[in-house]
């Protein structure tokens, strides 16, 4: 590993990164050059990495790894830099724990993977998780198909006769005719590439991959269908067979399969297979959006049967105005009425608010929740955020505020989840489970007060 980076979800709140209002050093990477998971519809075109005096790197909301140009030598070279969460210690307990909860996985799988390999464990972990999740999503619209040309030489002609090849293969009449035909099929190079990448990961981490697909019916069916019609590429076949024509998946119906293809290419490169892609198509990294993962994690631990996540609610101001909608992270309904609205935030500033620092609140986040409360006629809302807590210590269950001077007009609360700083995995898990119980109790108490 070359360098570790820590994500700072609100870079602008760290003045030490700036000189005269400008970053000490920055590097922008296009989101088209990296695999971003989960990929938001309104993702920024550029992700900025900021370098500080002490050569530490900072970014917003992502963990993962990216490849950048190494300017330490006159010769043009590239190096990989690794991004950890600001809540991680040397064991990466936080990232592994939150990912396992958010993606409904077993925590021990990450530890097993790290024990099985000395180098590249973090990369293997990311690639395996992302590949499975992407296949699961893409398969919902069906297996990727494309028109492919095949050659035949038998008595059942089903396409265009190839005279030159017929003369070469059948100099004497033997009842066969050489021909070629086109077919819209799953038997194409893109699917074969994906199968090859999956097979390589399966051979190296059989137990891990088995656990990853255990509850992923789509993935199991997809791989079984591919194995019925094709074999993985051999190392010799990959350069010759994969990239002879169009390389990207451009069909809008199958757009989600392009992300799977890019991840598969990264896996092959990670296994030392040389793939000669053009500079425009080369993938420079893999990033996990912790904003989205944090939302999934909160949903997994709330355990409320009346909880609705990302519910889209249409609002109409005038009959001749195009309808728009709101989508709160979480809302809880009681007797048909919205009793509580919560928004999950991973930003650095909210941890400071929860810890009692006298700073200005993030205005947009606050107004967003207040507008949800107004539209849905709900008198209780709040922000859920992570907050580091030392071993043996506890966090205040919630910080509650009145929205107006009239106390019955509504409440706003900041409800933190304590993040353990333990390095031991079992002790970390034990403390996190206790913190999650305290969080659920705080939410229920706030809602029922």
């Amino acid at each position: 590993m070359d360098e570790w980076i820590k994500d700072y979800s609100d870079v602008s709140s760290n003045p030490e990164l700036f000189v005269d209002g400008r970053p000490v050093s920055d590097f922008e990477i296009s989101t088209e050059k990296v695999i971003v998971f989960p990929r938001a519809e309104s993702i920024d075109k550029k992700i900025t990495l900021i370098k500080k005096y002490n050569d530490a790197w900072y970014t917003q909301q992502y963990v993962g790894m990216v490849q950048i140009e190494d300017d330490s030598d006159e010769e043009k070279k590239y190096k990989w830099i690794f991004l950890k969460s600001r809540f991680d210690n040397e064991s990466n307990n936080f990232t592994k724990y939150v990912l396992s909860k958010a993606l409904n996985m077993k925590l021990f799988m990450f530890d097993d993977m790290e024990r099985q390999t000395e180098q590249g464990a973090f990369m293997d972990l990311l690639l395996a998780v992302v590949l499975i999740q992407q296949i699961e999503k893409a398969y919902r619209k069906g297996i990727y198909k494309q028109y492919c040309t095949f050659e035949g030489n038998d008595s059942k002609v089903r396409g265009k006769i190839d005279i030159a090849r017929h003369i070469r293969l059948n100099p004497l009449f033997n009842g066969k005719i050489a021909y070629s035909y086109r077919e819209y099929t799953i038997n194409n190079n893109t699917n074969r590439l994906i199968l090859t990448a999956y097979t390589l990961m399966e051979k190296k981490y059989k137990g891990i991959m088995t656990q990853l697909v255990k509850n992923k019916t789509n993935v199991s069916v997809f791989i079984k269908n591919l194995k019925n019609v094709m074999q993985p590429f051999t190392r010799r076949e990959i350069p010759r067979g994969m990239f002879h024509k169009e390389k990207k998946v451009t069909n809008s119906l199958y757009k989600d399969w392009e992300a799977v293809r890019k991840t598969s290419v990264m896996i092959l490169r990670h296994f030392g297979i040389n793939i000669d892609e053009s500079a425009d198509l080369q993938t420079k990294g893999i990033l996990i959006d912790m904003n989205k993962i944090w939302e999934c994690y909160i949903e997994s631990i709330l355990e409320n049967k009346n909880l609705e996540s990302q519910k889209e609610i249409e609002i109409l101001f005038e009959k001749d105005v195009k309808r728009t909608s709101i989508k709160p992270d979480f809302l809880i309904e009681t007797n048909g009425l919205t009793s509580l609205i919560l928004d999950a935030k991973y930003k650095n500033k909210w941890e400071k608010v929860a810890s009692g620092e006298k700073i200005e609140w993030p205005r947009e986040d606050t107004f967003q929740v207040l507008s949800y409360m107004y539209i849905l006629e709900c008198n209780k809302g709040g922000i859920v955020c992570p907050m580091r807590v030392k071993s043996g210590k506890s966090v205040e269950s919630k910080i509650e505020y009145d929205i107006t001077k009239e106390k019955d007009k509504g409440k706003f609360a900041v409800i933190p989840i304590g993040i353990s700083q333990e390095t031991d995995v079992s002790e970390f898990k034990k403390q996190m489970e206790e913190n999650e119980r305290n969080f659920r109790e705080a939410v229920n108490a706030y809602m029922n007060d």
Side-chain angles (χ1 to χ4, degrees):
M1 296 181 182
D2 298 301
E3 296 185 37
W4 284 101
I5 316 172
K6 286 207 171 186
D7 66 303
Y8 272 73
S9 294
D10 192 358
V11 174
S12 61
S13 67
N14 291 273
E16 69 273 16
L17 300 180
F18 295 80
V19 175
D20 296 328
R22 301 188 65 180
V24 175
S25 174
D26 61 10
F27 172 80
E28 285 190 339
I29 186 165
S30 169
T31 51
E32 295 302 316
K33 297 288 186 182
V34 294
I35 298 164
V36 181
F37 172 81
R39 193 176 183 91
E41 294 179 3
S42 58
I43 190 171
D44 294 333
K45 292 184 178 180
K46 298 282 187 180
I47 295 173
T48 302
L49 309 179
I50 297 179
K51 196 170 187 179
K52 195 182 164 186
Y53 294 109
N54 61 0
D55 289 335
W57 286 86
Y58 298 84
T59 185
Q60 292 180 326
Q61 80 195 53
Y62 297 103
V63 299
M65 55 191 302
V66 293
Q67 189 181 51
I68 67 169
E69 190 172 339
D70 188 356
D71 56 4
S72 61
D73 199 333
E74 292 183 1
E75 185 180 350
K76 189 174 182 179
K77 294 180 180 178
Y78 293 92
K79 64 179 178 182
W80 286 99
I81 51 178
F82 296 78
L83 292 80
K84 295 172 67 172
S85 170
R86 65 186 182 275
F87 297 103
D88 272 325
N89 49 36
E90 58 269 23
S91 302
N92 304 328
N93 284 336
F94 173 79
T95 295
K96 292 187 294 185
Y97 184 82
V98 171
L99 276 174
S100 66
K101 285 272 190 172
L103 303 178
N104 191 26
M105 296 160 51
K106 299 291 186 182
L107 180 61
F108 73 84
M109 287 193 291
F110 291 154
D111 297 315
D112 285 350
M113 184 173 284
E114 289 193 349
R115 281 194 288 269
Q116 289 179 34
T117 179
E118 295 180 0
Q119 296 181 350
F122 191 63
M123 178 67 162
D124 288 342
L125 181 154
L126 292 178
L127 288 172
V129 169
V130 171
L131 180 67
I132 298 302
Q133 297 295 324
Q134 287 176 337
I135 292 175
E136 174 80 2
K137 179 184 177 182
Y139 188 78
R140 293 169 190 165
K141 293 183 179 178
I143 299 181
Y144 174 65
K145 294 182 179 181
Q146 70 180 83
Y147 281 102
C148 298
T149 301
F150 298 94
E151 295 179 340
N153 185 40
D154 52 47
S155 60
K156 300 178 181 179
V157 180
R158 50 186 299 194
K160 183 180 178 181
I161 296 176
D162 189 336
I163 296 175
R165 193 163 60 88
H166 175 73
I167 295 173
R168 186 177 73 253
L169 296 177
N170 308 306
L172 299 175
F173 180 73
N174 56 8
K176 295 181 179 180
I177 298 176
Y179 60 94
S180 61
Y181 64 97
R182 283 175 63 79
E183 185 176 301
Y184 194 59
T185 178
I186 67 171
N187 188 9
N188 55 65
N189 284 336
T190 298
N191 283 337
R192 199 174 176 196
L193 161 66
I194 296 169
L195 178 62
T196 304
Y198 181 91
T199 303
L200 287 172
M201 293 297 289
E202 191 176 41
K203 285 181 178 178
K204 187 172 182 180
Y205 302 112
K206 184 174 178 60
I208 300 297
M209 295 297 285
T210 299
Q211 287 294 327
L212 282 174
V213 302
K214 189 173 183 179
N215 297 318
K216 306 290 184 183
T217 306
N218 287 352
V219 179
S220 301
V221 172
F222 170 70
I223 296 300
K224 183 178 180 179
N225 287 337
L226 293 193
K227 288 181 176 179
N228 287 338
V229 298
M230 65 182 74
Q231 293 294 320
F233 284 117
T234 65
R235 284 179 176 263
R236 182 174 296 181
E237 289 175 325
I238 289 172
R240 184 175 69 250
M242 283 170 47
F243 302 110
H244 62 293
K245 287 186 180 178
E246 283 192 17
K247 304 167 187 178
K248 298 179 70 173
V249 177
T250 56
N251 189 322
S252 59
L253 177 63
Y254 299 118
K255 63 181 181 179
D256 290 333
W257 287 108
E258 170 60 13
V260 186
R261 185 198 70 83
K262 289 172 69 175
T263 303
S264 299
V265 171
M266 280 203 70
I267 290 173
L268 296 181
R269 283 210 177 103
H270 184 59
F271 278 85
I273 299 173
N274 183 32
I275 299 173
D276 185 22
E277 278 193 304
S278 67
D280 291 338
L281 289 173
Q282 287 185 11
T283 303
K284 298 293 185 180
I286 182 168
L287 299 174
I288 292 181
D289 186 344
M290 290 301 289
N291 283 352
K292 296 292 182 183
I293 293 298
W294 180 249
E295 291 173 12
C296 295
Y297 167 69
I298 298 300
E299 183 179 4
S300 72
I301 66 173
L302 273 174
E303 297 180 358
N304 190 304
K305 64 180 180 180
N306 297 318
L307 176 73
E308 294 200 59
S309 172
Q310 295 291 325
K311 181 181 180 180
E312 188 169 6
I313 302 168
E314 291 189 342
I315 53 179
L316 180 63
F317 298 100
E318 295 181 20
K319 291 182 179 180
D320 58 345
V321 175
K322 183 179 179 180
R323 287 184 296 178
T324 185
S325 61
I326 59 173
K327 194 183 289 187
D329 286 346
F330 308 104
L331 61 84
I332 298 176
E333 294 184 343
T334 305
N335 299 325
L337 299 175
T338 304
S339 55
L340 179 61
I341 295 173
L342 295 175
D343 211 45
K345 295 299 180 186
Y346 185 71
K347 291 181 179 178
N348 198 34
K349 269 192 174 182
W350 282 112
E351 181 184 10
K352 294 180 179 180
V353 172
S355 62
E357 288 191 36
K358 304 299 182 182
I359 63 170
E360 183 180 358
W361 287 23
R363 290 168 58 87
E364 289 186 5
D365 299 342
T366 307
F367 293 157
Q368 181 184 37
V369 176
L370 291 175
S371 66
Y372 290 162
M373 293 170 63
Y374 173 77
I375 292 169
L376 298 175
E377 299 181 343
C378 175
N379 67 351
K380 287 184 181 179
I383 297 290
V384 178
C385 65
M387 178 180 168
R388 277 164 284 208
V389 58
K390 294 181 180 179
S391 180
K393 302 289 183 180
S394 59
V395 300
E396 188 173 345
S397 61
K398 64 180 180 298
I399 306 174
E400 193 172 319
Y401 304 87
D402 293 313
I403 293 176
T404 68
K405 291 182 180 179
E406 299 179 46
K407 294 185 180 296
D408 61 341
K409 292 296 183 180
K411 299 281 187 181
F412 190 100
V414 179
I415 310 176
I417 299 178
I419 306 301
S420 171
Q421 299 300 292
E422 277 290 336
T423 56
D424 180 74
V425 176
S426 59
E427 188 62 30
F428 177 89
K429 182 181 178 183
K430 179 181 177 181
Q431 289 188 13
M432 286 302 299
E433 289 174 346
E434 182 179 349
N435 293 342
E436 289 164 0
R437 282 194 297 271
N438 294 336
F439 167 72
R440 284 192 293 271
E441 290 174 0
V443 170
N444 291 331
Y446 177 50
M447 181 177 61
N448 297 322
D449 185 11

